[in-house]
Amino acid sequence: METIIILHIILVFMIIGSLITVEIRNMLSAVISVGAVGFALSLAFLFLDAPDIAITQVIVEILSLVILIRATIKVDNVAIEKREHILSDRTALIFVGMILVFAWFAFQSLPTFGEPSMRVSQYYLMNGLREVGATNFVTSVILDYRAYDTLGEAMVLFTSISGAFVILRRWKKEQDKDFLRIDREH
Amino acid sequence: MTLYFLDFVLFAIGIYALVAKRHIVKKILGVAIMEYSVNLFLILIGFKKAGVAPILTKDMDLVTFIKTAVDPLPQALVLTSIVIGLGTLALMVSIAIRLYERYGTFDMHEINRLRG
């Protein structure tokens, strides 16, 4: 029972942090507060009996904070002053509220919290030790039963990182232009 | 049930940031918040009351372990999803940096106006 109360507190903290992220004017503060939300998420994973994911979440959160700060620190992080047309903000709010209402009805058909239906996982838990030999069952699912999924993950990761490199690469013409500009300035 | 709902409120905040904000980095942060919420939702579904982590230790026999361990399948899939989230975030941020170099602003409407 105590775990559930702690989880409520962590989730409320995450909601407050993400509200600050959305509404604050300074972009650097927004990035820092999304980092706070991510570390709270790692804490929630720890309370939900998922230590592997908690460790991964901490590492990924640090890396993504570094990337996001790189995006915001060199440019002017002044917030955009001009307001959106007031109608479009309200329309977005109305639609988000409608999504929440429909989600409330959808939650009634989910299994109740704390009693998962473990039809597939029962097999993994019963036979994992004999067939794979790993005592950590998350590892045995990742690296043996669903190894093709992990292969696909590596492929997606490679594709996205090489895409980022291609986008950030400086072309030869642009470099020449940069040199010209520097010459003119001096 | 309230935990599911609070988690979905987090998702709704992410959607709001994605739809209603003009700053590109804020849109990216909205996507990141949505991703957090979905990962947490999958783990919440696999949680078992008074359960243990799916790691077999020496002082535990297999029968009670099968009865009390939480679901290992969503944990394995979320582990994949977290790492993929880092890759997509890097891609989005690099596109945003390129847009800033080209147009000199992060404002979405300004970029739409300057195009062409």
Side-chain angles (χ1 to χ4, degrees):
Chain A
M1 212 61 206
E2 255 181 27
T3 314
I4 294 174
I5 297 168
I6 292 171
L7 279 174
H8 275 93
I9 294 169
I10 292 174
L11 259 168
V12 169
F13 174 78
M14 284 172 70
I15 289 172
I16 293 170
S18 47
L19 278 178
I20 291 172
T21 302
V22 173
E23 287 304 329
I24 207 164
R25 314 292 295 225
N26 188 348
M27 284 319 295
L28 200 56
S29 314
V31 170
I32 299 294
S33 79
V34 90
V37 176
F39 285 119
L41 177 66
S42 152
L43 207 60
F45 285 153
L46 210 55
F47 279 107
L48 285 167
D49 293 325
D52 302 300
I53 308 179
I55 296 166
T56 314
Q57 174 67 31
V58 168
I59 294 168
V60 165
E61 191 55 46
I62 291 168
L63 285 177
S64 58
L65 262 185
V66 171
I67 294 170
L68 279 169
I69 285 177
R70 164 68 186 84
T72 52
I73 200 155
K74 275 199 169 178
V75 300
D76 53 336
N77 52 14
V78 185
I80 295 161
E81 292 293 328
K82 286 168 287 181
R83 294 289 296 173
E84 192 83 33
H85 193 266
I86 195 76
L87 207 62
S88 76
D89 262 14
R90 286 198 185 151
T91 321
L93 271 179
I94 288 169
F95 275 104
V96 167
M98 272 167 64
I99 290 172
L100 276 179
V101 170
F102 285 125
W104 178 255
F105 291 120
F107 288 152
Q108 313 297 329
S109 63
L110 282 176
T112 48
F113 180 69
E115 294 155 17
S117 67
M118 299 169 62
R119 270 174 294 189
V120 182
S121 314
Q122 204 71 39
Y123 177 83
Y124 294 153
L125 285 176
M126 276 197 281
N127 303 314
L129 193 61
R130 186 166 48 80
E131 289 179 355
V132 183
T135 51
N136 188 345
F137 286 81
V138 176
T139 320
S140 76
V141 172
I142 288 178
L143 294 178
D144 194 288
Y145 290 114
R146 307 217 169 195
Y148 281 120
D149 189 50
T150 311
L151 184 69
E153 172 213 339
M155 224 161 73
V156 170
L157 199 64
F158 177 75
T159 313
S160 64
I161 296 297
S162 56
F165 266 111
V166 168
I167 289 169
L168 283 179
R169 184 175 54 185
R170 298 209 156 266
W171 298 90
K172 194 121 193 299
K173 272 185 188 170
E174 280 182 24
Q175 276 177 355
D176 293 347
K177 265 190 225 160
D178 283 349
F179 286 135
L180 282 179
R181 202 189 305 146
I182 289 165
D183 285 344
R184 231 175 277 149
E185 277 170 3
H186 286 296
Chain B
M1 197 59 79
T2 50
L3 274 176
Y4 291 158
F5 190 72
L6 284 178
D7 188 49
F8 208 83
V9 169
L10 205 65
F11 187 81
I13 292 169
I15 285 187
Y16 175 72
L18 185 62
V19 170
K21 290 291 161 185
R22 289 172 64 168
H23 202 292
I24 291 182
V25 177
K26 278 230 164 131
K27 283 177 192 280
I28 293 174
L29 293 183
V31 173
I33 290 170
M34 278 159 69
E35 189 195 307
Y36 291 156
S37 126
V38 170
N39 289 343
L40 183 58
F41 184 66
L42 290 176
I43 298 293
L44 279 175
I45 281 191
F47 182 66
K48 192 180 272 181
K49 264 175 197 161
V52 294
I55 298 171
L56 192 60
T57 48
K58 254 183 194 169
D59 54 339
M60 203 182 290
D61 65 315
L62 201 59
V63 180
T64 53
F65 176 73
I66 289 171
K67 270 180 197 160
T68 56
V70 300
D71 200 343
L73 187 56
Q75 296 196 10
L77 298 184
V78 166
L79 204 61
T80 312
S81 138
I82 287 174
V83 179
I84 287 177
L86 180 66
T88 52
L89 186 89
L91 191 61
M92 284 190 289
V93 166
S94 62
I95 290 173
I97 288 173
R98 265 327 230 190
L99 278 176
Y100 185 82
E101 280 177 6
R102 175 130 188 175
Y103 293 103
T105 176
F106 271 138
D107 189 344
M108 206 69 207
H109 289 208
E110 200 72 14
I111 289 170
N112 265 336
R113 200 171 59 77
L114 290 174
R115 195 178 57 202

